[in-house]
Amino acid sequence: MFNPPNAKQFFETVWDIVRQIPEGKVSTYGQIASMIPPDKYTDPDQMKRLAPRWVGTAMRKTPKGQGIPWQRVINSQGKISFPAGSAQAEEQERLLNMEDVMFTKAGKVDFEVVGWEGPSYEYLESNDLLPPRELT
DNA sequence: CGTTTGACTACGC
DNA sequence: CGCGTAGCCAAAC
């Protein structure tokens, strides 16, 4: 289950990780989820199945005006997760283009070029997080 | 309080 | 590649 107190901590953790993504790089819901210990906030089994969705939920609730680079989080396919053509999708693409993250005609980024390798070891260590899975 | 919505992913064709 | 589907459930309405 995802008790409210834990949910808040989970969201805070996600936002904090997002803050670590440098300009010009992108991460994914799944990659961020992979950094959070499965048993830290809820049942490990559920975490394993649902963590990426919960990261998506956290992103939807991202506080505005706090400098969280929300635009740097996309889906595992390398695409923006808002409906193509929506105002939100256009805004996200615009912000990413501004930091030289470009999309192919098919609307995908090249993880080889702009994929984030994860936070520093020191950050992971001091925040009790796991090394992220790699983006391919 | 019941129903709908949603910033996911893996997998099959 | 693209498109559809199952699995899944907290938040929002």
Side-chain angles (χ1 to χ4, degrees):
Chain A
M1 299 304 121
F2 214 40
N3 302 319
N6 287 347
K8 181 162 194 209
Q9 291 177 53
F10 179 88
F11 293 157
E12 297 284 354
T13 300
V14 169
W15 297 328
D16 205 46
I17 290 173
V18 172
R19 271 191 275 264
Q20 310 306 311
I21 308 174
E23 184 176 331
K25 296 287 184 178
V26 300
S27 187
T28 69
Y29 306 92
Q31 185 187 40
I32 289 169
S34 73
M35 298 181 209
I36 302 175
D39 58 354
K40 192 161 187 181
Y41 299 111
T42 185
D43 174 56
D45 290 328
Q46 293 196 17
M47 186 67 168
K48 195 169 184 180
R49 296 193 306 274
L50 303 171
R53 255 177 122 90
W54 281 334
V55 170
T57 299
M59 293 312 294
R60 185 163 32 113
K61 295 166 61 74
T62 302
K64 293 180 178 176
Q66 291 190 31
I68 298 175
W70 59 270
Q71 72 272 22
R72 297 177 194 150
V73 184
I74 60 180
N75 65 34
S76 64
Q77 308 167 70
K79 300 165 74 172
I80 285 172
S81 271
F82 289 113
S86 67
Q88 296 176 105
E90 306 240 313
E91 170 70 353
Q92 186 168 11
E93 181 168 0
R94 189 181 66 76
L95 290 170
L96 286 173
N97 284 341
M98 208 147 49
E99 41 190 86
D100 288 319
V101 172
M102 308 310 277
F103 290 82
T104 65
K105 193 170 294 181
K108 300 172 80 163
V109 300
D110 183 354
F111 285 135
E112 295 285 335
V113 179
V114 300
W116 186 39
E117 64 288 346
S120 68
Y121 180 78
E122 290 78 10
Y123 180 83
L124 293 175
E125 184 79 348
S126 61
N127 289 281
D128 188 30
L129 296 173
L130 275 29
R133 72 171 171 73
E134 298 201 6
L135 298 177
T136 56

